[in-house]
Amino acid sequence: MISRRLFLIFLGGVLLTSCTKEGDTIYQPDPDEPKASTAPLVTVIYGTDALGDRSYSDLIYKGIEEAAAKYGLRTMQLSPTSYEEGLGYLQSMFQDVKSQTDTIRRLYIVEAAGYDSYLRQNSHLFDNNPYADLLYLETPEPLASGGSTLYLPYYGAMYEAGAIQPVLNNNTTLILSNPEDATVTGAAKGFADGFNTDYYTYKEKNLKTIYLAQKAGEGYNIADSTAIRILNQASGTIIPICGGSGYTMMYLCDVTLSGSYVGIDVERSSALCRMSVFKHIDRAISLCIGQWRSPEGMPKHQVLGLKDGYTGVALCPVLDDYYVQRYNSYISDALRQQIHEDAIRKEEAYEQK
C-alpha cells in the first residue's frame, strides 16, 4: 500500500508531466510560475542621447509614464547613443510589425526627426497589422500611409516671446540646433517676426543667429567646452532652441552667474532667466495615448499649438524688479492680450502656408 505522502508526491509529478500516444514525455507549465504580461506595450524611440536633457525629451518620458500608470500599460523607452543604434531600433520596430503573431496591442512612438525619410518609406507596414500603431512626433507633414502624427507648432509662442524680448534685452542671440528640423525653423521664424514688430517704441534692436549643426536631428547634444565657445560668440540674452544643448548652456549661465537666457520647453526659475517659452508635450502625449486606448483611436494628424494651450509664454517668477518695472512700463495688460491674440492668428497663417 502506497503511503499518503508518496501518493501526493506521485500526483504532483503527474500534474507536471504527461505523455503523448507515442510515449514521449511533455512538461506542463507550473501554475505558480508568473505568466508573461499581455498588457498593451508603448515603445518610444528617441533621438541620439535625447533622454536626460531636462527639457523636451524628459517631458515626453514623464507624459508616457504617467499615461502608463493611468491606463495600466507597459513601456519601453529607447534612447540610442548613436545614429546607427537608433536606426537599428527602427529596423527592429518594422520587423516586429511584420512578424507579430500575438494580439497584444502595441504603440510605437518615434521622436527622432533624423530618421524622417526612412520612417516615411516604411510606415505603410502598419496598415497591415491591426494590433500595432505608430505615432510620429513633431512633424507638420502627415504620413502618407500607416500611423498618426502629432505637431506642436512653436511659431505662435515664439512670436509672442519675440515681441516681448526687446523690453528685457534688445540685444539677443538665437542659438538653433540646425536649419532643417521644422520645429526649429518655425520657432526661429516666429521669434524673429515677433522681435521685429513695433508694438511699442523702443531703441535699435539686434538679433543674431548661431547654428550648432547643419543636418536634421543634429545639434541637440554638445559638450560643455563647445557650449562655452558658443556662449562666447553670443550677444546679450540667448534663446537656445536646441534641446539638451540648450539646457547645457542655461546651466552654464546659472553656474557661472553670467549672461541671461529665455527658458525653452519648460518653465524655469532662475535669476538669469528672463522668461520661458514652454511646450506641454507631456500633456499632448498623454492625450494621444488616451485616444489610442479609445474605440475611435488616434486622429491621423493633430496640431496643438498656442490657441490650444499646449504652448505658451511666461515671465520668470523670480524676475528682477528692474526688469519687472521695464516690462510694466512698456507692456500694458491690453497690449499683452493683443500680442497674444496676434500670435495665435499669425501661427495659424504660418502653418497654412
Side-chain angles (χ1 to χ4, degrees):
M1 182 175 181
I2 302 174
S3 71
R4 177 177 176 80
R5 184 171 184 274
L6 289 176
F7 177 77
L8 289 175
I9 292 173
F10 171 76
L11 180 61
V14 171
L15 290 174
L16 292 175
T17 65
S18 62
C19 295
T20 65
K21 287 189 293 185
E22 292 75 18
D24 297 325
T25 300
I26 58 175
Y27 291 87
Q28 304 297 327
D30 184 344
D32 295 326
E33 208 173 90
K35 296 180 180 179
S37 175
T38 58
L41 174 64
V42 178
T43 300
V44 194
I45 301 175
Y46 293 90
T48 304
D49 289 325
L51 277 183
D53 64 0
R54 306 199 184 184
S55 183
Y56 180 81
S57 297
D58 284 6
L59 282 176
I60 293 174
Y61 182 96
K62 173 176 175 284
I64 287 169
E65 292 303 322
E66 288 178 349
K70 179 179 180 180
Y71 296 108
L73 311 174
R74 293 177 293 153
T75 65
M76 182 182 296
Q77 309 227 27
L78 306 173
S79 184
T81 58
S82 67
Y83 176 87
E84 291 73 22
E85 185 179 8
L87 183 60
Y89 288 151
L90 287 177
Q91 291 170 339
S92 295
M93 174 185 76
F94 286 121
Q95 183 58 42
D96 290 345
V97 171
K98 286 194 297 183
S99 61
Q100 181 180 351
T101 57
D102 58 48
T103 58
I104 295 174
R105 290 199 62 190
R106 291 172 170 84
L107 172 63
Y108 296 89
I109 301 176
V110 178
E111 181 255 11
Y115 305 102
D116 183 86
S117 178
Y118 179 78
L119 188 72
R120 292 182 184 279
Q121 290 171 9
N122 293 278
S123 65
H124 65 276
L125 295 172
F126 281 86
D127 289 333
N128 303 320
N129 187 331
Y131 302 107
D133 294 284
L134 169 67
L135 175 61
Y136 183 26
L137 300 183
E138 294 291 46
T139 173
E141 181 183 351
L143 295 167
S145 62
S148 301
T149 46
L150 172 68
Y151 182 46
L152 272 62
Y154 234 175
Y155 180 96
M158 284 293 178
Y159 177 94
E160 193 169 322
I164 296 169
Q165 177 59 22
V167 168
L168 304 177
N169 193 337
N170 65 310
N171 192 24
T172 299
T173 300
L174 281 168
I175 302 179
L176 312 176
S177 55
N178 66 74
E180 293 189 5
D181 288 347
T183 53
V184 175
T185 56
K189 173 66 173 166
F191 188 90
D193 288 350
F195 191 83
N196 292 320
T197 55
D198 56 357
Y199 285 106
Y200 45 85
T201 303
Y202 203 72
K203 57 188 177 182
E204 183 180 353
K205 307 170 188 176
N206 177 45
L207 182 61
K208 181 179 180 180
T209 300
I210 297 175
Y211 288 103
L212 301 179
Q214 294 301 315
K215 294 181 180 180
E218 296 183 354
Y220 294 100
N221 288 282
I222 57 175
D224 287 4
S225 57
T226 304
I228 292 171
R229 177 173 56 81
I230 296 298
L231 288 173
N232 288 334
Q233 297 174 11
S235 301
T237 297
I238 64 167
I239 319 294
I241 311 173
C242 46
S245 299
Y247 173 78
T248 298
M249 293 178 191
M250 291 184 284
Y251 172 77
L252 288 172
C253 287
D254 288 335
V255 168
T256 61
L257 298 178
S258 61
S260 61
Y261 58 83
V262 168
I264 302 297
D265 291 340
V266 297
E267 294 188 55
R268 294 181 63 84
S269 180
S270 163
L272 297 179
C273 180
R274 300 295 179 248
M275 62 180 163
S276 295
V277 188
F278 54 83
K279 233 181 206 192
H280 292 311
I281 186 64
D282 52 336
R283 298 181 191 174
I285 285 290
S286 183
L287 171 70
C288 289
I289 291 177
Q291 293 168 336
W292 176 62
R293 298 292 294 144
S294 72
E296 296 78 16
M298 292 181 295
K300 181 67 178 174
H301 183 64
Q302 287 188 92
V303 179
L304 302 171
L306 186 63
K307 179 181 67 174
D308 310 290
Y310 282 85
T311 66
V313 179
L315 289 180
C316 182
V318 295
L319 189 64
D320 187 274
D321 288 344
Y322 170 76
Y323 292 102
V324 172
Q325 291 172 6
R326 285 178 60 173
Y327 175 89
N328 290 335
S329 66
Y330 280 95
I331 302 180
S332 64
D333 290 343
L335 178 56
R336 182 70 175 81
Q337 183 62 28
Q338 180 188 339
I339 293 172
H340 179 69
E341 293 172 358
D342 287 350
I344 291 174
R345 286 193 295 270
K346 289 182 178 293
E347 178 169 88
E348 291 177 340
Y350 177 82
E351 294 301 331
Q352 288 173 1
K353 293 180 181 178

